[in-house]
Amino acid sequence: MIRNKVVLITGASSGIGYQTAELLANLNYHVYGAARHINKMDNLKKIGVKPIKMDLTDEISIVQAIEQIIKIEGHIDYLVNNAGYGSYGAIENVSIAEAKQQFNTNLFGLARLVQLILPYMRSNQFGRIINISSMAGRMTTYMGAWYHATKYALEGFSDALRMEVKPFGIDVILIEPGGIKTNWGIIAAENLRKTSVNTPYAQHALEASERMHKLYSSDKLTDPIIIAKTIVKAITDTRPKTRYLLGYGAKMLVFLHTILPTKLFDKLVQKIV
């Protein structure tokens, strides 16, 4: 039997990752919170969370972080892949370098972590990998091609991974939030504005940016603690679901994407975002 329940959470310095780390630490899990800026986790240290520096776009950083945890604990039982960001802008305007950065953060860094951790999970015949995807992996919004591409890719990656590791007692779980009240949307809206100024897409993109900014500044969105509690549920339940679709707009928009003709859904989305 595994004596200590060891959890690694990426993107733990704010929002969903921060609150998940706090909840799990209070349940006596050995929590390692990974982020580029670990000084933001000073309060988490007080309840036992161990900050660990990690940049998902830096192979050396990822390897060193895992080696550090294994040296202390000997195993990692739960991996919560939470880190990520949204890069919005018309496809013509967003540089391929920025698109690659989006994939490196949202998919390839995550995949490298999975590769490094799987041998330890297999040796214990137990493990859970919780990938924080989005409703953005099930439907597409306006001017968000590269972000959606990473989330659609993460969905396919997770489905394939789940089948591969099932024989070793390892679960792969997708959390698919809708609109969450974090800085994510404000940052995405600002990126959209910056990439669109003085381009043929400026008018429509700036209007979309304003709508995003207004939405993510409102009280309509779901509190991150709801998502954090769902992640904890995925970790603690004996038989967790494969997918958890929740949060503002998630179930409704994914449902409408399923039943509406494509052109009609396109018009709907362009009015919302």
Side-chain angles (χ1 to χ4, degrees), residues 2 4-9 29-32 52 54 62-81 113-114 116-129 170:
I2 299 170
N4 303 321
K5 300 173 183 177
V6 180
V7 186
L8 170 59
I9 304 171
Y29 284 76
H30 288 208
V31 181
Y32 288 81
I52 190 160
M54 183 190 296
I62 296 171
V63 171
Q64 288 179 342
I66 298 305
E67 288 177 346
Q68 185 179 338
I69 298 171
I70 294 300
K71 184 176 180 180
I72 297 169
E73 304 286 352
H75 57 91
I76 297 172
D77 310 304
Y78 305 92
L79 170 62
V80 180
N81 285 310
L113 262 181
V114 168
L116 292 169
I117 289 173
L118 275 178
Y120 301 99
M121 291 184 171
R122 281 192 295 100
S123 67
N124 285 320
Q125 289 290 296
F126 176 83
R128 284 189 187 171
I129 298 169
I170 301 168

Side-chain angles (χ1 to χ4, degrees), residues 165-208:
V165 300
K166 182 178 174 60
F168 305 106
I170 301 168
D171 295 315
V172 178
I173 300 156
L174 280 160
I175 308 291
E176 302 167 320
I180 308 301
K181 196 167 182 59
T182 67
N183 289 332
W184 180 94
I186 303 298
I187 295 169
E190 183 60 19
N191 285 341
L192 175 54
R193 187 191 67 78
K194 287 179 180 178
T195 60
S196 306
V197 174
N198 298 323
T199 75
Y201 301 90
Q203 180 181 343
H204 296 295
L206 293 177
E207 289 172 358

Side-chain angles (χ1 to χ4, degrees), residues 45-215:
K45 288 171 65 176
K46 297 175 183 177
I47 59 171
V49 175
K50 301 172 182 66
I52 190 160
K53 191 172 182 60
M54 183 190 296
D55 181 345
L56 286 175
T57 65
D58 181 354
E59 164 84 8
I60 294 174
S61 168
I62 296 171
V63 171
Q64 288 179 342
I66 298 305
E67 288 177 346
Q68 185 179 338
I69 298 171
I70 294 300
K71 184 176 180 180
I72 297 169
E73 304 286 352
H75 57 91
I76 297 172
D77 310 304
Y78 305 92
L79 170 62
V80 180
N81 285 310
N82 169 69
Y85 75 103
S87 182
Y88 269 59
I91 293 171
E92 187 177 345
N93 295 338
V94 177
S95 70
I96 294 301
E98 168 59 25
K100 288 180 178 179
Q101 182 77 355
Q102 179 91 149
F103 268 93
N104 285 337
T105 302
N106 291 4
L107 182 67
F108 296 128
L110 175 157
R112 186 63 182 130
L113 262 181
V114 168
Q115 289 180 332
L116 292 169
I117 289 173
L118 275 178
Y120 301 99
M121 291 184 171
R122 281 192 295 100
S123 67
N124 285 320
Q125 289 290 296
F126 176 83
R128 284 189 187 171
I129 298 169
I130 295 104
N131 290 332
I132 311 305
S133 180
S134 170
M135 68 175 179
R138 306 274 294 274
M139 45 76 65
T140 305
T141 55
Y142 195 39
M143 299 283 180
W146 291 115
Y147 174 68
H148 285 275
T150 66
K151 292 303 182 181
Y152 268 79
L154 179 58
E155 294 272 328
F157 172 89
S158 299
D159 285 341
L161 179 64
R162 183 179 61 254
M163 292 184 281
E164 290 176 12
V165 300
K166 182 178 174 60
F168 305 106
I170 301 168
D171 295 315
V172 178
I173 300 156
L174 280 160
I175 308 291
E176 302 167 320
I180 308 301
K181 196 167 182 59
T182 67
N183 289 332
W184 180 94
I186 303 298
I187 295 169
E190 183 60 19
N191 285 341
L192 175 54
R193 187 191 67 78
K194 287 179 180 178
T195 60
S196 306
V197 174
N198 298 323
T199 75
Y201 301 90
Q203 180 181 343
H204 296 295
L206 293 177
E207 289 172 358
S209 176
E210 286 297 317
R211 288 194 295 271
M212 286 180 69
H213 200 284
K214 184 177 180 180
L215 175 62

